[in-house]
Amino acid sequence: DMTIQACSTIELFLANNILNNVLGMDRNAKKIWEKLTQLYQSTSLTTRIYQLGRLFRLKLKDGGNMRDHLSQFDEIVHEVVTTGEKLSDDYLAMHLLMSLPKSYSTLETVITHGKDTVKLEEVKATILAEWSKRRHAAPDDESAALAVRGRHP
């Protein structure tokens, strides 16, 4: 039966201390899921403030890994949304731009110039392409600098 299989799958992935909260319940996957949501997916004001604070404090350091930054951004956004907060695509795109270091300010201007709104996926693609370009350009610039230093002791 699909219901028993669904319950077994849920229970299989739960740690013992969490499993104890649903043992003895009816073998109903929907009820088990609702109980877990009630226990562990809080939408309290405290949780919302905590998750929004994580989003507001997220900053990429100069030279940091953009892929990791975008993954962390997406993870935090998911956590914020699960608290019931409504975040528009445009708001998220602007916030992502504000989380970048000052070295990306020209790119921010290029992305936003003459526009009333920006799309999150377009911003992500553009900053990832720029990061990749900078990353691949850095070794050439370094080797050129080293070559110059080598010629003039």
Side-chain angles (χ1 to χ4, degrees):
D1 174 61
M2 286 278 264
T3 303
I4 293 172
Q5 187 177 13
C7 291
S8 297
T9 302
I10 291 170
E11 291 168 354
L12 181 66
F13 287 95
L14 298 178
N16 288 338
N17 61 326
I18 296 171
L19 183 60
N20 290 331
N21 292 306
V22 295
L23 283 178
M25 289 183 65
D26 293 341
R27 302 285 294 165
N28 182 314
K30 184 176 185 233
K31 286 183 181 178
I32 291 172
W33 192 257
E34 287 170 349
K35 176 72 172 177
L36 291 169
T37 300
Q38 174 193 2
L39 291 170
Y40 298 102
Q41 190 177 343
S42 174
T43 58
S44 70
L45 179 60
T46 304
T47 302
R48 289 173 30 223
I49 290 170
Y50 171 74
Q51 295 299 352
L52 283 169
R54 288 180 63 211
L55 184 62
F56 296 153
R57 287 187 297 275
L58 180 67
K59 301 286 182 210
L60 176 67
K61 290 186 173 112
D62 247 333
N65 187 307
M66 186 65 75
R67 283 194 183 98
D68 291 346
H69 182 69
L70 292 175
S71 292
Q72 190 174 14
F73 178 83
D74 288 341
E75 176 189 322
I76 294 171
V77 167
H78 173 74
E79 294 296 326
V80 169
V81 170
T82 60
T83 68
E85 286 296 316
K86 305 280 189 253
L87 304 172
S88 71
D89 189 74
D90 186 51
Y91 174 85
L92 291 172
M94 290 185 294
H95 189 80
L96 179 58
L97 287 170
M98 291 185 294
S99 75
L100 300 176
K102 289 187 188 295
S103 61
Y104 281 81
S105 62
T106 302
L107 182 66
E108 178 183 332
T109 302
V110 169
I111 290 172
T112 59
H113 181 74
K115 296 181 181 176
D116 292 329
T117 63
V118 286
K119 294 188 183 321
L120 180 58
E121 290 307 314
E122 290 175 8
V123 169
K124 285 180 180 181
T126 304
I127 62 177
L128 197 55
E130 175 66 17
W131 172 74
S132 183
K133 181 177 133 187
R134 290 179 184 198
R135 204 171 57 138
H136 294 321
D140 295 338
D141 294 343
E142 276 183 25
S143 61
L146 291 174
V148 169
R149 282 189 207 140
R151 287 189 207 145
H152 304 286

